[in-house]
Amino acid sequence: MTFPSGLDVVRGLAPGCTGFFRFGRNTSIGLTYAPVTRSGFYRTPQASAATALRIKAGGNANDTANGSGARSITLVGLNSSGDVISETIATAGASASEATTQTFMRLTQAFVASSGTYASQSAGSQAGAITIENAAGTADWALIADGTLGKGQAEIAVHTTPRTKSAVIMNLTVSSDSDKKANIVLFKRENILQTAAPYSPMLMVLELPQSSGLIDLQFNPPLHFPPLTDFGFLASVSSSTVDVAIGMDIMEFIPR
């Protein structure tokens, strides 16, 4: 069997296959291992603890349903059955938004769905940082960073395969401060719907100790992750803090 090319996948010539690029960054990796995500979190509750999500209070007043900033946000993830779900919620300025009607066990993407600004290099699609939290307001789940120009989407170098798809990482780009040594680990945890011990373990797939600067890796055969598997990157540093960014070329496909 010939593995389809990335071009065939994006052209829709490989039924059942989906290709995408997943990018994550954490600008303040510290002494303790943390996910390479802009928020510093990748929430992994068990299925029984799936939760509705909302936009956290404290955002910019212009990020509102009729404002000049982000007017709505789309959330994509998995429900308690491991099926892909998505929902778009209206922003509410400095107030918390309404909660999603669906409950999320994983949140793999969050992005600006509509904006009051025709964006350019000097005017982004959001007015300020946008934090996604659980509906109870007790735990942050993701961050769409602002900075000098709104990012427009959360930066999450972690993914979870749905129950109907396997995934592979074909290419990997790692970037970290050149004057510091980051310890970077790719992990996986299978069978995320397990409800009682013994649980499948979290296993290291790849370790990049004492990393600095830019690293490009290609995998042949690609790194494989079966359905219902968390996989992604954690990083730490021996002193101070380090800025780490990860890019992954991922393909999902229906397993045989």
Side-chain angles (χ1 to χ4, degrees):
M1 179 180 177
T2 302
F3 198 72
S5 71
L7 181 58
D8 285 343
V9 172
V10 299
R11 292 175 64 200
L13 300 179
C17 295
T18 304
F20 53 92
F21 180 74
R22 186 56 47 84
F23 173 80
R25 184 182 179 191
N26 189 326
T27 61
S28 56
I29 292 288
L31 306 182
T32 301
Y33 278 101
V36 182
T37 68
R38 184 64 79 154
S39 66
F41 301 104
Y42 187 75
R43 301 295 184 185
T44 57
Q46 291 180 275
S48 60
T51 179
L53 301 176
R54 68 180 185 183
I55 299 168
K56 188 174 184 175
N60 192 290
N62 292 318
D63 287 324
T64 190
N66 295 305
S68 59
R71 295 187 173 188
S72 62
I73 302 295
T74 295
L75 307 178
V76 182
L78 302 182
N79 63 15
S80 60
S81 298
D83 292 316
V84 177
I85 57 172
S86 66
E87 188 165 341
T88 299
I89 51 178
T91 52
S95 301
S97 73
E98 294 294 322
T100 58
T101 59
Q102 302 178 88
T103 56
F104 288 76
M105 181 179 63
R106 298 290 187 273
L107 180 65
T108 55
Q109 291 178 275
F111 55 87
V112 175
S114 61
S115 174
T117 292
Y118 188 86
S120 68
Q121 65 184 36
S122 59
S125 296
Q126 65 192 90
I130 298 170
T131 299
I132 308 302
E133 65 177 0
N134 63 343
T138 57
D140 292 348
W141 276 55
L143 171 66
I144 304 176
D146 180 26
T148 56
L149 185 67
K151 306 299 183 182
Q153 62 179 329
E155 298 156 82
I156 302 173
V158 189
H159 187 63
T160 304
T161 53
R163 65 180 181 87
T164 59
K165 294 286 186 74
S166 291
V168 293
I169 298 176
M170 299 176 293
N171 304 298
L172 178 67
T173 301
V174 179
S175 176
S176 60
D177 292 334
S178 59
D179 60 340
K180 300 175 183 177
K181 302 295 185 180
N183 300 304
I184 301 170
V185 175
L186 170 63
F187 73 91
K188 70 173 181 178
R189 182 178 57 195
E190 300 180 4
N191 301 308
I192 64 170
L193 296 186
Q194 290 173 325
T195 59
Y199 296 109
S200 296
M202 188 167 79
L203 300 175
M204 182 176 66
V205 178
L206 173 70
E207 184 174 22
L208 300 171
Q210 301 298 301
S211 298
S212 64
L214 183 65
I215 301 171
D216 286 312
L217 296 172
Q218 295 182 341
F219 303 104
N220 186 19
L223 302 178
H224 174 251
F225 305 93
L228 298 173
T229 297
D230 294 322
F231 65 92
F233 285 87
L234 301 170
S236 70
V237 68
S238 58
S239 63
S240 186
T241 61
V242 64
D243 186 346
V244 175
I246 304 284
M248 298 183 282
D249 286 315
I250 297 173
M251 185 182 298
E252 285 189 340
F253 57 94
I254 299 172
R256 299 185 64 177

